[in-house]
């Protein structure tokens, strides 16, 4: 089946056009600066063809028209007719408590997505715009929503409730949802394959470490707990997000610095994390470089980042009553030997025997042969999961 996978942001649309039989990406591209001056579409085709066009792309509907035009283009396209697009799969950030799995989008689902906007006011509206845009341009093509939250939908109550009055959960649905679910699901399944056992027999801790970062405890194939919470702000230190802290800091800082709710929110989401602690950068490569050059605050940011991961790895091993595999993924998890080393160093008591040489080489397995806990480096592929879920759901229709 040929599936178009879309990840729609407020001013950008990332797309990948899949041939699911070959599990191959025939073309992938980005429409950037939607609604702004200098809007541009760039695409790479499977055979290496590379193209970039500028245009006046005022909204998401226009952007989808550009994507279709490119996929159909004589010189740079991959299809001859629009009807070759058999389904569209969307990454949707927040499914709330309504969706515990991927779904075919109909009017009822679309309404439920609108109802969930309040939970993800930054992310869900552009996802919905993308769905509406496809509906306008290709009304007969089935669309599927794949949620960042749904893999975590089976978390037990003790993992998702917060210690605040229960009425707040009832009234406003304040609870842990968790994010990056598609990635945690994909890499835990790959880890089980590498381990050579069925995922239903394994306890796996998955670390998705990119600009946003989260860890999940995947207990026999089910997400039992995860570090991101009501929003993606909780848990690990991230590029620009603060992660865990005493909630009293919020009210105290707002009082001391005279900040509004919006300003405090921006401070915690955009000016904290690696950026805030180091004062240098949100980019781990630059943090590592600055730390190597003797920059103490960059070193502190690096240490804080890795220390939190270590804490959660231990916590989740305890929560699951053991751990068979530890997985690193995301831009940092896949590419930073220094972070993996700082997390896995001196963890023999948990069954991790770290292989420094393999780690430096960027091998797929960075634990020793005899290590009881296997440590894997696995490239995530959220788009492939979306394409395959879409195929399955549309095929089942
Ligand atoms: P996003 O969450 O935006 O998808 P990515 O998963 O691409 O982000 O991760 C981006 C992060 O990965 C950045 O902090 C970047 O510095 C880091 N990264 C990429 N390559 C390396 C590397 N070789 N060493 C350390 N960090 C790296």
């Amino acid at each position: 089946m040929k599936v178009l996978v879309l990840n729609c942001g407020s001013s950008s649309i990332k797309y990948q056009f899949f041939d699911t039989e070959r599990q191959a990406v025939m073309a992938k591209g980005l429409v950037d600066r939607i609604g702004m001056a200098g809007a541009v579409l760039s695409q790479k085709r499977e055979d290496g063809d590379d193209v970039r066009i500028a245009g006046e792309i005022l909204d998401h509907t226009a952007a989808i028209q550009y994507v279709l035009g490119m996929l159909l283009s004589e010189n740079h396209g991959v299809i001859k007719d629009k009807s070759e697009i058999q389904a569209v799969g969307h990454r949707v950030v927040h499914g709330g408590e309504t969706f515990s799995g991927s779904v075919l989008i109909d009017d009822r689902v679309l309404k439920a997505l609108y109802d969930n906007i309040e939970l993800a006011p930054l992310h869900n509206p552009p996802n919905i715009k993308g769905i509406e845009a496809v509906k306008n341009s290709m009304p007969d093509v089935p669309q599927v929503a794949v949620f960042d939250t749904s893999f975590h939908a089976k978390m037990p109550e003790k993992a998702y409730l917060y210690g605040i009055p229960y009425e707040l959960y009832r009234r406003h649905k304040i609870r842990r949802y968790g994010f990056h679910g598609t990635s945690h699901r994909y890499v835990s399944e790959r880890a089980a394959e590498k381990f050579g056992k069925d995922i239903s027999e394994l306890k796996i801790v998955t670390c998705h470490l990119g600009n946003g970062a989260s860890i999940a405890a995947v207990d026999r194939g089910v997400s039992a707990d995860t570090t991101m919470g009501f929003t993606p702000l909780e848990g690990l230190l991230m590029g620009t997000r603060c992660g865990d802290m005493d909630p009293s800091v919020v009210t105290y800082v707002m009082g001391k610095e005279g900040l509004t709710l919006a300003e405090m929110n921006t401070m915690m989401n955009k000016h904290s994390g690696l950026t805030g602690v180091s004062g240098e950068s949100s980019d781990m490569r630059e943090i590592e470089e600055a730390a190597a050059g003797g920059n103490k605050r960059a070193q502190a940011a690096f240490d804080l980042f890795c220390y939190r991961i270590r804490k959660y790895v231990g916590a989740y091993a305890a929560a699951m009553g053991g751990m068979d595999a530890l997985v690193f993924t995301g831009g940092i998890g896949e590419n930073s030997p220094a972070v993996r080393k700082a997390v896995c160093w001196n963890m023999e008591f948990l069954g991790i025997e770290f292989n420094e040489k393999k780690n430096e080489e960027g091998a797929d397995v960075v634990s020793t042969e005899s290590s009881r806990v296997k440590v894997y480096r696995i490239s995530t592929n959220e788009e492939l999961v979306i394409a395959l879920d879409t195929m399955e759901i549309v095929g089942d229709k």
Side-chain angles (χ1 to χ4, degrees):
M1 179 181 272
K2 304 268 169 43
V3 178
L4 177 62
V5 171
L6 295 177
N7 182 352
C8 299
S10 55
S11 62
S12 72
I13 295 182
K14 287 188 199 140
Y15 68 93
Q16 294 197 7
F17 190 62
F18 273 89
D19 177 350
T20 56
E21 259 153 62
R22 293 190 292 127
Q23 296 207 352
V25 178
M26 297 169 72
K28 71 188 220 180
L30 168 73
V31 188
D32 211 2
R33 302 184 59 83
I34 297 170
M36 300 181 220
V40 58
L41 184 159
S42 49
Q43 176 183 280
K44 263 199 178 141
R45 205 167 52 182
E46 197 179 0
D47 63 5
D49 176 73
D50 207 338
V51 56
R52 194 179 151 84
I53 55 160
E56 199 167 312
I57 308 177
L58 293 180
D59 57 21
H60 284 64
T61 300
I64 293 294
Q65 290 295 348
Y66 266 80
V67 172
L68 288 179
M70 185 55 80
L71 292 174
L72 283 160
S73 120
E74 203 168 312
N75 296 327
H76 307 288
V78 286
I79 51 173
K80 297 223 153 42
D81 194 273
K82 221 159 74 166
S83 63
E84 289 176 53
I85 303 174
Q86 292 167 283
V88 177
H90 292 266
R91 173 190 183 205
V92 179
V93 170
H94 216 311
E97 285 195 318
T98 329
F99 300 107
S100 57
S102 306
V103 287
L104 186 71
I105 300 171
D106 56 17
D107 288 346
R108 262 184 48 209
V109 169
L110 199 53
K111 179 176 178 307
L113 294 181
Y114 275 104
D115 291 344
N116 276 335
I117 283 181
E118 228 184 358
L119 290 172
L122 290 182
H123 293 107
N124 275 21
N127 298 157
I128 293 172
K129 274 189 193 163
I131 294 166
E132 298 275 21
V134 171
K135 219 169 134 186
N136 290 337
S137 315
M138 298 180 269
D140 299 326
V141 177
Q143 302 193 65
V144 167
V146 179
F147 301 95
D148 270 21
T149 46
S150 63
F151 182 57
H152 305 298
K154 296 195 182 109
M155 266 187 294
E157 200 179 49
K158 66 185 176 195
Y160 73 68
L161 278 184
Y162 290 118
I164 52 177
Y166 194 81
E167 289 69 37
L168 293 171
Y169 166 57
R170 279 233 184 89
R171 237 184 276 152
H172 306 298
K173 300 263 175 273
I174 311 282
R175 52 159 287 178
R176 177 184 312 286
Y177 291 98
F179 299 87
H180 292 143
T182 315
S183 177
H184 289 296
R185 178 179 138 201
Y186 177 79
V187 298
S188 59
E189 285 168 2
R190 295 291 80 72
E193 277 172 18
K194 284 175 188 286
F195 200 98
K197 270 197 182 172
D198 196 88
I199 197 163
S200 63
E201 297 173 51
L202 293 170
K203 295 170 179 175
I204 305 173
V205 175
T206 49
C207 307
H208 179 108
L209 312 175
N211 284 315
S214 70
I215 303 189
V218 185
D219 192 354
R220 290 162 290 183
V222 176
S223 173
D225 203 349
T226 188
T227 54
M228 282 179 170
F230 179 61
T231 73
L233 188 56
E234 192 179 348
L236 302 178
L237 192 82
M238 305 180 215
T240 61
R241 297 188 196 125
C242 59
D244 293 338
M245 67 178 175
D246 181 342
S248 302
V249 171
V250 177
T251 42
Y252 189 81
V253 169
M254 285 177 75
K256 279 278 177 201
E257 302 274 322
L259 300 183
T260 63
L261 278 173
E263 286 166 343
M264 188 66 203
N265 212 14
T266 304
M267 191 212 89
M268 294 186 294
N269 277 287
K270 303 261 187 236
H271 304 301
S272 298
L274 294 174
T275 294
V277 177
S278 70
E280 290 285 323
S281 168
S282 64
D283 188 295
M284 184 51 92
R285 275 168 297 202
E286 290 174 19
I287 294 291
E288 288 184 17
E289 247 175 63
N295 183 319
K296 289 214 161 51
R297 274 175 57 188
Q299 186 66 51
F302 178 86
D303 291 344
L304 220 160
F305 183 85
C306 299
Y307 178 66
R308 284 219 186 145
I309 300 169
R310 275 178 78 88
K311 278 207 298 194
Y312 273 112
V313 169
Y316 285 171
M320 292 192 287
M323 169 170 61
D324 301 298
L326 174 64
V327 180
F328 288 95
T329 192
I332 300 172
E334 290 167 37
N335 299 308
S336 172
V339 168
R340 291 192 300 264
K341 182 176 171 184
V343 172
C344 294
W345 165 83
N346 208 5
M347 284 277 215
E348 285 79 8
F349 76 99
L350 263 183
I352 297 175
E353 273 178 33
F354 192 58
N355 188 328
E356 279 204 55
K357 185 161 170 286
K358 291 264 183 230
N359 183 51
E360 287 302 326
E361 288 166 6
D364 294 345
V365 185
V366 297
S367 48
T368 63
E369 291 259 335
S370 58
S371 183
R372 191 176 55 70
V373 174
K374 303 291 175 225
V375 185
Y376 300 118
R377 200 185 65 87
I378 298 176
S379 299
T380 194
N381 194 344
E382 290 154 288
E383 293 80 9
L384 177 64
V385 177
I386 297 173
L388 294 178
D389 268 19
T390 302
M391 177 189 71
E392 209 177 298
I393 287 172
V394 170
D396 276 355
K397 198 163 55 99

